Amino acid sequence: MGSEDTTDQADVQQDAVDTEESLVGEVVNEEVSAEAEGVVDLAAELEKANATASDNWDKLLQAKAEVENIRRRTQKDIEKAHRFSVEKFAKDMLPVVDSLEMGLAAADDSADEVTALKEGMELTLKQLISSLEKSGVLQVNPVGEAFSPELHQAISMVPSPDHEPNSVIQVFQKGYTLNSRLLRPAMVIVAQAPPEAPTDTMKIDEQA
């Protein structure tokens, strides 16, 4: 009888040990699973953070590029405003130059008073043109030059054996540029090659 009690006690103890080991195993497995899930969560969070940082960096670079573009455009606008700020004034002064030049062209050098007046007008014209040049306004006076549609406006074409075809024979009104930009084209007459005599006519004259 004592032997059976000892056996039962041993079985109970073994069951207790097995139960304890099972509980410990479950706890360990739960902790390991929790730690594994934690590692996965941390990796996901790290990847998400890296993606956010990369996106923010790209946005920063785009913002810097846009600011630089705005700065360059603003600088160009300022430079353009400085260069062409006198455009309206220059255009208003051109008729004054035209009037002085026409007055000088109509003056009669034979009379002393007219000669004195002409000299005064010439000096005034010279000073005015010099002032315009200081502001970047230059005359376009293309007599004898090749016709340029960018700077000249042809009002007529005249056959001329004494001039190169497509060259400017006469300037009716001078043109002007402001810092290389056209303010007003020069009004000109352009030479064209004279028509050739008909071959039949030349043969008739030779036979005659």
Side-chain angles (χ1 to χ4, degrees), residues 13-76:
Q13 291 177 351
Q14 184 63 43
D15 290 341
V17 170
D18 292 341
T19 302
E20 184 178 353
E21 290 179 352
S22 177
L23 292 174
V24 170
E26 290 178 0
V27 171
V28 170
N29 289 335
E30 290 178 358
E31 290 181 354
V32 170
S33 297
E35 289 179 359
E37 290 178 358
V39 171
V40 172
D41 291 342
L42 288 175
E45 290 295 329
L46 179 59
E47 184 177 355
K48 183 178 179 181
N50 287 335
T52 302
S54 178
D55 184 55
N56 290 337
W57 179 253
D58 291 340
K59 290 180 179 179
L60 175 62
L61 293 179
Q62 292 175 0
K64 289 179 66 177
E66 184 63 24
V67 169
E68 182 64 18
N69 289 335
I70 293 174
R71 187 191 68 78
R72 289 177 181 176
R73 287 197 298 267
T74 302
Q75 184 65 27
K76 288 182 179 180

Side-chain angles (χ1 to χ4, degrees), residues 2 14 52 80 93 97 117 131 160-161 166 170-171 204:
Q14 184 63 43
T52 302
K80 186 176 180 180
M93 290 296 100
V97 177
L117 177 61
S131 297
S160 175
N166 205 44
Q170 185 177 353
V171 176
I204 292 173

Side-chain angles (χ1 to χ4, degrees), residues 29-150:
N29 289 335
E30 290 178 358
E31 290 181 354
V32 170
S33 297
E35 289 179 359
E37 290 178 358
V39 171
V40 172
D41 291 342
L42 288 175
E45 290 295 329
L46 179 59
E47 184 177 355
K48 183 178 179 181
N50 287 335
T52 302
S54 178
D55 184 55
N56 290 337
W57 179 253
D58 291 340
K59 290 180 179 179
L60 175 62
L61 293 179
Q62 292 175 0
K64 289 179 66 177
E66 184 63 24
V67 169
E68 182 64 18
N69 289 335
I70 293 174
R71 187 191 68 78
R72 289 177 181 176
R73 287 197 298 267
T74 302
Q75 184 65 27
K76 288 182 179 180
D77 290 341
I78 292 174
E79 292 176 358
K80 186 176 180 180
H82 286 167
R83 292 185 65 192
F84 300 108
S85 59
V86 297
E87 182 171 359
K88 185 178 183 304
F89 165 76
K91 286 184 176 180
D92 291 341
M93 290 296 100
L94 299 188
V96 178
V97 177
D98 294 338
S99 297
L100 285 171
E101 289 179 338
M102 288 187 291
L104 289 171
D108 183 6
D109 294 335
S110 60
D112 293 338
E113 292 183 0
V114 174
T115 300
L117 177 61
K118 183 178 179 181
E119 290 176 352
M121 291 176 66
E122 286 176 343
L123 179 60
T124 303
L125 177 61
K126 184 177 180 180
Q127 291 174 339
L128 179 57
I129 292 177
S130 176
S131 297
L132 289 172
E133 288 178 350
K134 290 178 181 178
S135 297
V137 181
L138 300 179
Q139 273 191 349
V140 178
N141 186 22
V143 175
E145 298 178 5
F147 174 77
S148 171
E150 296 180 355

